[in-house]
Amino acid sequence: MPLLHGLLKPFQSWNDLVLPVGRWISIVAIALMVVAILIQVFFRYVLNAALPWPDEAARFMMLWLTGLMAPIAFRRGGFVAIDMVVQAMPAKIGRIVSLFLLFVSAGVLAMAVSIGWNEVTGFGGRFATAALYIPTALDFSEWYRVPRSWMMLSLLVGVILLLIVNIELILRSVITMMGGGDSLKELMPPEEEIMAE
């Protein structure tokens, strides 16, 4: 049991540190996404002169907030799940089935890391976005076209974070099956439980 707790600690510590940072970045991203959409609505419907960049900026923010929030939801059990079959089973068999499904998820996520890496570093990642630019000079005289790989990096980062959470959940599941579940730290503070439901 101490070996499993020793294996769990780095994954749990990483997730305790990184996922809250991702949450705050996601909050900023959703605020920027709303601002970009409101700018587009104003220019399109009030001034009758649609801008080329707000749609792409909103999409960029949406991809990043999804990549950063998905691991938090997965860790807290916030994904949609059909768990009535597992709940109908005896508790020990249900835990074994859940552990098996976590291993299947780990396999899928490992393949997704490879796909995400290819998207970021491969042929498709070399293209630039259609209309998303960032200034490279303080006086806004020079602009840099955002590479598509920056958008696709959200997929890679999200999948890697999901895989790390998955490994933590596998270890927690094994520790619980071996009778050490009472010694595990809660994944979510009680004041936030309502938000996850």
Side-chain angles (χ1 to χ4, degrees), residues 70-138:
I72 296 169
F74 185 40
R75 189 178 195 213
R76 294 180 173 189
F79 280 0
V80 174
I82 302 171
D83 55 1
M84 59 191 207
V85 174
V86 173
Q87 289 178 352
M89 296 176 178
K92 191 171 187 177
I93 294 173
R95 281 189 230 115
I96 291 170
V97 169
S98 293
L99 181 61
F100 171 75
L101 293 174
L102 284 171
F103 275 109
V104 170
S105 297
V108 170
L109 290 168
M111 286 190 286
V113 169
S114 173
I115 293 168
W117 182 257
N118 289 336
E119 284 293 322
V120 172
T121 62
F123 180 70
R126 295 186 186 136
F127 296 107
T129 57
L132 194 55
Y133 293 86
I134 56 171
T136 57
L138 292 175

Side-chain angles (χ1 to χ4, degrees), residues 4 17 27 29 32 57 67-68 71 74 101 103 115 124 156 180 184:
L4 288 174
L17 178 72
I27 290 169
L32 291 173
L68 294 172
F74 185 40
L101 293 174
F103 275 109
I115 293 168
L156 180 61
L184 294 175

Side-chain angles (χ1 to χ4, degrees), residues 39-89:
I39 288 170
Q40 182 68 321
V41 167
F42 177 78
F43 274 84
R44 177 173 287 167
Y45 297 109
V46 175
L47 302 179
N48 201 22
L51 298 173
W53 62 266
D55 295 336
E56 197 147 358
R59 192 174 316 119
F60 184 88
M61 295 301 157
M62 182 183 66
L63 286 170
W64 272 100
L65 80 92
T66 302
L68 294 172
M69 287 302 291
I72 296 169
F74 185 40
R75 189 178 195 213
R76 294 180 173 189
F79 280 0
V80 174
I82 302 171
D83 55 1
M84 59 191 207
V85 174
V86 173
Q87 289 178 352
M89 296 176 178

